[in-house]
Amino acid sequence: MTETFIPVNTPLLDGNEAEYLAECIRTGWISSEGPFVKRFEEAMADVAGRRHGIAVTNGSVALDIAVYALGLEPGDEVIIPTFTIISCAAAVVRAGLVPVAVDCDTATWNMTIEGVEAAITPRTRAIMPVHIYGLPVDLGPILELARKRGLKVIEDAAEMHGQTYRGSPCGSFGDVSTFSFYPNKHVTTGEGGMILTDDDALADRLSGLRNLCFQPQQRFIHEELGWNARMTNLQAALGVAQVERLPRTIEIKSRIGRLYDEHLADLHCIRRPVPSTDYADNIYWVYGVVLNDDVPFDAKEAMRRLAQKGIGTRPFFWCMHEQPVLRRMGFMLSDSHPNAETIARRGFYLPSGLALTEGEIARSARALKEILA
Ligand SMILES: Cc1ncc(COP(=O)(O)O)c(C=O)c1O
């Protein structure tokens, strides 16, 4: 008997999503002018403990606009983790700035204060902490360093809706923070993103940049180039319904993580996610595993074997300092970040979607044990 394929992600849309979408259709409000956009911005600002939320079309453009809006000078350096998505480096490069990559911690997979301190130069102007896969960056010392040196901080909380750092919400730190609402996120709008800040003037600037820098008095005369990154009312309607169920979402994800931990406790040839640190409990946005050195193959081969057993997986991020496009531009040419290089080659994540059943978790864990036996 062939078993069904278990996808790596499955969103849950069983709250008020359909009702709110129907309201958009019934009222004719489908564009970015509709009332759900403001409601969603306020709801996410509340989740993140921020004064302002500016909804945009995805988490990548949220970073583009956030970095650009800080008004740094061409050639200024921004410290980013090498273990992250390309969006982080792309936002820095598109703003005319220089990405400086730092290695990650072997256990939490996040950037560290030691890495950041070692990467500071006289040209450093900003730091972009990016929370990876379920545990936040240990932000305290990084924020303190930024404060002392007058550096800007862009907090990429794309994966971290509903997570906290020492009791304060992720997305509440730094000058500006960003979220993604892609379907694998704890809050999804299909595609979508948000930029958040407590700074009133910066919020105004971010809203202008999101909306082509139209001017209130003379709409089609522009002093600056912006983006059309407006979120539609349809997307925001989904978002409002998703935020309503965020606490349950976090509970489900945490439970998925705990169940995988139980099933995989006796599998000693992998590294599992750290369940908690002194500043946060893991919320398992995704359940990642890293193959130990004694496994005679890499993540790619493990994923191929799991696919044959009907288990969907995703590789870990590929390091920024190893990206052909960035290297061709001359960035990070002499970098070496062994921790991130290792997990990029030996790490992948198991099915982690919200609709995952206990049976599917057990089957995925069993399949992993079988391919590693
Ligand atoms: C850490 C991080 N930053 C940014 C993004 C980009 O978000 P989007 O896919 O909405 O463009 C993602 C997407 O998964 C992400 O994981």
Side-chain angles (χ1 to χ4, degrees):
M1 193 187 81
T2 44
E3 289 181 295
T4 50
F5 189 77
I6 305 176
V8 72
N9 177 55
T10 34
L12 264 191
L13 304 167
D14 58 358
N16 287 320
E17 288 84 355
E19 186 190 324
Y20 294 167
L21 275 176
E23 190 177 322
C24 298
I25 308 292
R26 208 172 46 246
T27 58
W29 279 115
I30 56 172
S31 78
S32 58
E33 306 273 309
F36 277 114
V37 177
K38 189 96 213 122
R39 264 176 76 181
F40 184 42
E41 289 176 336
E42 285 171 1
M44 277 308 298
D46 201 41
V47 165
R50 286 285 204 190
R51 283 169 63 81
H52 305 281
I54 292 99
V56 293
T57 42
N58 55 64
S60 302
V61 86
L63 283 169
D64 281 345
I65 298 176
V67 172
Y68 177 85
L70 295 176
L72 303 178
E73 297 293 324
D76 284 351
E77 293 176 1
V78 181
I79 297 177
I80 62 168
T82 195
F83 189 68
T84 186
I85 194 165
I86 191 72
S87 317
C88 304
V92 171
V93 172
R94 288 207 178 100
L97 309 170
V98 177
V100 174
V102 299
D103 206 352
C104 63
D105 180 67
T106 50
T108 66
W109 308 328
N110 276 309
M111 67 157 45
T112 63
I113 180 63
E114 293 78 18
V116 172
E117 268 171 345
I120 298 264
T121 78
R123 288 308 299 268
T124 308
R125 294 291 177 274
I127 307 171
M128 184 189 290
V130 183
H131 309 299
I132 299 289
Y133 295 166
L135 269 180
V137 174
D138 188 2
L139 282 172
I142 295 177
L143 294 172
E144 180 56 16
L145 176 75
R147 194 189 56 76
K148 275 199 200 131
R149 292 188 167 255
L151 306 176
K152 301 280 187 197
V153 173
I154 308 115
E155 182 197 4
D156 182 352
E159 306 172 355
M160 227 46 57
H161 331 61
Q163 175 59 295
T164 55
Y165 171 77
R166 294 199 188 281
S168 298
C170 287
S172 67
F173 299 98
D175 298 271
V176 61
S177 53
T178 59
F179 285 102
S180 161
F181 306 118
Y182 188 71
N184 60 2
K185 301 303 189 303
H186 300 146
V187 171
T188 183
T189 59
E191 296 283 354
M194 200 171 289
I195 317 167
L196 298 105
T197 182
D198 293 320
D199 180 326
D200 298 348
L202 182 59
D204 270 356
R205 180 160 160 70
L206 292 165
S207 307
L209 287 168
R210 161 190 63 181
N211 193 20
L212 291 170
C213 295
F214 288 131
Q215 300 199 78
Q217 306 309 329
Q218 31 190 10
R219 186 174 173 83
F220 292 115
I221 300 179
H222 301 264
E223 295 293 342
E224 201 174 0
L225 293 179
W227 285 254
N228 176 355
R230 301 183 300 260
M231 176 181 276
T232 68
N233 202 47
L234 295 162
Q235 292 166 305
L238 276 181
V240 170
Q242 288 270 295
V243 172
E244 288 171 355
R245 45 161 304 147
L246 181 57
R248 206 182 121 221
T249 299
I250 300 299
E251 261 174 49
I252 296 173
K253 284 279 183 168
S254 303
R255 187 152 175 282
I256 292 173
R258 281 197 304 275
L259 283 173
Y260 271 127
D261 267 351
E262 281 169 29
H263 286 295
L264 298 173
D266 56 353
L267 188 61
H268 301 297
C269 59
I270 57 163
R271 244 180 297 153
R272 289 181 281 121
V274 175
S276 61
T277 63
D278 62 345
Y279 51 82
D281 292 329
N282 205 320
I283 54 167
Y284 304 98
W285 170 57
V286 292
Y287 193 90
V289 297
V290 178
L291 303 172
N292 286 346
D293 290 346
D294 53 356
V295 175
F297 48 82
D298 63 7
K300 206 167 166 187
E301 174 61 16
M303 291 165 59
R304 192 187 66 75
R305 295 182 185 197
L306 284 168
Q308 282 178 340
K309 292 179 175 289
I311 311 297
T313 54
R314 274 277 185 295
F316 271 16
F317 293 131
W318 197 251
C319 299
M320 290 306 103
H321 70 283
E322 297 192 289
Q323 295 293 340
V325 61
L326 298 174
R327 295 182 68 82
R328 273 202 304 276
M329 291 169 142
F331 295 122
M332 302 175 268
L333 288 178
S334 55
D335 279 36
S336 136
H337 302 295
N339 299 345
E341 286 163 25
T342 301
I343 66 169
R345 284 159 177 79
R346 302 192 72 76
F348 59 94
Y349 53 91
L350 294 169
S352 306
L354 287 165
L356 208 58
T357 65
E358 280 191 27
E360 288 173 329
I361 294 170
R363 211 185 106 200
S364 304
R366 200 168 51 241
L368 181 62
K369 286 181 178 175
E370 283 165 10
I371 67 145
L372 294 173

